Amino acid sequence: MQKEYSIQDFLEVKATGSPSFSPDGSKVAYLSTITGTTQVYLISSDGSGSEQLTDYPDSIGFARFSPAENKIIFGKSEGGNEQTQFFVLDLETRKTTDITRRTDVRHDFGAWSRDGKKICFASTERNGKDFDVYVMDVATLEKKCVFDGGGWCAAAGFSLNGTYVIALQKHSNFNNDAYLCNVASGEVEHITPHEGHVVHMNPRWLPDESAFFFTRDQDKEFMGLAKYTLANKSSEYVLTPEWDIDGVAIDNEGKRLAIIVNEDGYSKAKFYDPLTLKELPYTLPSGNITTTHFSQDGTKLTLSIGDSCRATDVWVMEFESGESRQLTHSPQGVPPEVMVEPELIRYDSFDGLSVPAFVYRPKDIPEESKLPVIINIHGGPENQYQPSLASITQYFVHSGYIVVAPNVRGSSGYGKTYMALDDVEKRMDSVKDIVSLRDYLKTVPGVDLDKVVLMGGSYGGFMVLAGLAFYPKLWAAAIDIVGIGNFVTFLENTASYRRALREAEYGSLENDRELLERISPFNSVEKIQAPLFVIHGANDPRVPLSEAEQVVAKLKELGREVELLVYEDEGHGLAKLKNRLDAYPKVVNFLDGVLK
């Protein structure tokens, strides 16, 4: 008989990731959730001597080893407010230094310079709204603005000798530009003039600074790899798989190029010679590979690898031998064989569009059983559900639910045309994709159509509320986590640096207010019939708590069944294990009460 595991067992499954090598390659810094929040750890590259380096109440957002010294830079915010500050931990003295010292400013890390003397980053220091790109001397803390073009900009790294920084300027989440910034002279050159919507990402330089590789989707559906040559100021595609290239890395000697290709939601790494673009025949362990990072001498590579049944862990590959070894072994109290691998299916939506979805089915269920279904909707909306280990999903499946995770129109990973199918006036077509999924469930054996539950976070929370408000008779219950209830109040109250990008996706308050009001679930809240459970963080800078409060208040006024959980030390989601251990058992009890 299969052992029964509790929700706590599933929630306490840990994960590690974001590895980076020490300058000599002997150590690897990484992030892990072992303590219940994400903290920085250190391990020898042979897998021995793991050590916890930080222990804060809040999670660490990133950590990167200096390329030249035994120091690690990391970033963290407080209570989920996303106002990230930078700290440098000296591993010789074990002293941690706050190098940004502006808790009223958000800082987004870019990279170290190769000599370890400088970092580049973007911050809202100038006016609280626009992200400017800076270069900072880590020893003196003196900084210089190298790009202030306005809007949401990012520092995309140094050239290898530190001559240039590339700044990326977002016009929307599906359109941006790149600028070549000369650090010494201050000269700025726009290197990606284009028409229409084009995304440019992941610049990675050749050692002599003559050219760099980057990903883009100009004139293509998917993100291909292009090469920009400084001498003739032009770029051309060099690799164009029929899926998105999500990640790029190149070693300091320019001998190996690594890319991560997102094939139908599964992430795979491939290697090439950067000069000939000939594929190199290295074999990696099975699983989804989410990050790659070369050692300074280029002889080793770190990877983050996991899958639907195994927690993500850090691996190291040795290029000389071609062998890989697992460095970390994240605690996983629920064995992989208990977890369920989802089936990737496609269903036809109302207009004939083929929509991909991952379906998790419980094991060893009698044929005559009729099971409740949870439709789990991702946020973004330009995100993509990918089958990594999802503890809550696996718990529900273990408890007898079927869980379906669709990538409705507007999701990334399926081409730029697919991603644009929900823009502005097309917003409700994505909600219809969820309705069509429920229709598809009629054809799936073992489904109880009277017990279909909606669940989603952020934009997925909007999808949940929209499903309840505009198609009220189809759902038995719903879980809304940090969701948007009213697009007008959301755009008015979201962090000022986010509004322009969100208006590019949803429509603007100036030009599209009538549409935004019409598609806002709050304005049809009286139609909601299904019981609703809402979770929100008090410090959420993306979707303010007021979005949840107004929906819940109105539903209570109408006498509907609704519950609200607010966590004072959280932002856009639940980052702390203690809060997940509090919230999700209450979600389970809520669903048990409604469905059983």
Side-chain angles (χ1 to χ4, degrees), residues 375-390:
I375 297 177
N376 183 19
I377 310 167
H378 69 68
E382 306 95 339
N383 291 347
Q384 179 189 27
Y385 186 91
Q386 293 184 266
S388 58
L389 199 161

Side-chain angles (χ1 to χ4, degrees), residues 346-355 433 436-437 439-440:
R346 281 175 166 78
Y347 66 93
D348 289 337
S349 192
F350 68 98
D351 57 356
L353 181 73
S354 179
V355 178
D433 287 343
S436 295
L437 174 55
D439 288 340
Y440 169 81

Side-chain angles (χ1 to χ4, degrees), residues 266-331:
Y266 295 91
S267 297
K268 302 177 181 180
K270 298 183 179 182
F271 299 91
Y272 296 85
D273 181 310
L275 298 180
T276 66
L277 276 303
K278 178 182 178 182
E279 188 167 358
L280 304 175
Y282 295 109
T283 302
L284 293 171
S286 62
N288 290 322
I289 297 170
T290 52
T291 60
T292 58
H293 180 81
F294 285 97
S295 61
Q296 291 300 306
D297 63 7
T299 62
K300 295 188 285 288
L301 184 81
T302 58
L303 309 109
S304 299
I305 305 178
D307 59 30
S308 298
C309 302
R310 295 179 299 151
T312 301
D313 271 302
V314 174
W315 291 66
V316 165
M317 176 183 178
E318 302 270 0
F319 284 106
E320 184 176 348
S321 65
E323 295 180 354
S324 301
R325 61 178 173 273
Q326 186 173 344
L327 286 194
T328 64
H329 295 81
S330 296

Side-chain angles (χ1 to χ4, degrees), residues 95-107:
K95 180 182 178 182
T96 298
T97 304
D98 180 350
I99 65 170
T100 46
R101 303 172 182 173
R102 286 289 303 272
T103 56
D104 60 326
V105 171
R106 171 168 166 159
H107 305 84

Side-chain angles (χ1 to χ4, degrees), residues 370-410:
K370 293 291 186 181
L371 303 180
V373 178
I374 294 175
I375 297 177
N376 183 19
I377 310 167
H378 69 68
E382 306 95 339
N383 291 347
Q384 179 189 27
Y385 186 91
Q386 293 184 266
S388 58
L389 199 161
S391 295
I392 287 300
T393 291
Q394 293 286 354
Y395 170 75
F396 278 123
V397 176
H398 184 69
S399 301
Y401 288 82
I402 295 171
V403 179
V404 185
N407 281 313
V408 298
R409 69 190 69 207

Side-chain angles (χ1 to χ4, degrees), residues 397-537:
V397 176
H398 184 69
S399 301
Y401 288 82
I402 295 171
V403 179
V404 185
N407 281 313
V408 298
R409 69 190 69 207
S411 302
S412 60
Y414 306 97
K416 63 198 300 184
T417 299
Y418 191 89
M419 193 166 66
L421 289 177
D422 69 339
D423 291 351
V424 192
E425 71 278 357
K426 305 171 190 173
R427 180 65 43 209
M428 297 308 292
D429 286 351
S430 62
V431 181
K432 292 179 184 177
D433 287 343
I434 299 299
V435 176
S436 295
L437 174 55
R438 189 186 182 281
D439 288 340
Y440 169 81
L441 291 174
K442 296 175 183 177
T443 69
V444 177
V447 168
D448 188 339
L449 284 173
D450 293 325
K451 295 181 179 180
V452 180
V453 176
L454 295 178
M455 181 174 180
S458 190
Y459 175 79
F462 154 74
M463 294 283 282
V464 167
L465 295 174
L468 296 183
F470 299 115
Y471 301 92
K473 297 181 179 181
L474 300 182
W475 322 109
I479 313 299
D480 162 29
I481 304 169
V482 298
I484 301 167
N486 184 331
F487 278 114
V488 172
T489 54
F490 158 69
L491 290 171
E492 288 174 338
N493 297 317
T494 192
S496 59
Y497 54 79
R498 301 187 74 252
R499 177 172 160 179
L501 290 184
R502 294 296 80 208
E503 286 190 324
E505 170 71 33
Y506 299 132
S508 72
L509 290 173
E510 180 179 356
N511 300 319
D512 305 292
R513 182 177 287 263
E514 185 277 330
L515 169 69
L516 294 170
E517 290 178 345
R518 175 161 39 89
I519 67 175
S520 291
F522 178 74
N523 293 327
S524 296
V525 72
E526 73 280 356
K527 299 177 183 177
I528 293 178
Q529 299 176 13
L532 174 65
F533 196 98
V534 183
I535 299 171
H536 219 103

Side-chain angles (χ1 to χ4, degrees), residues 562-580:
V562 62
E563 295 182 39
L564 172 63
L565 281 184
V566 178
Y567 292 91
E568 298 298 328
D569 57 349
E570 296 281 14
H572 196 61
L574 301 183
K576 297 178 172 67
L577 177 61
K578 68 180 181 67
N579 293 333
R580 295 195 296 276

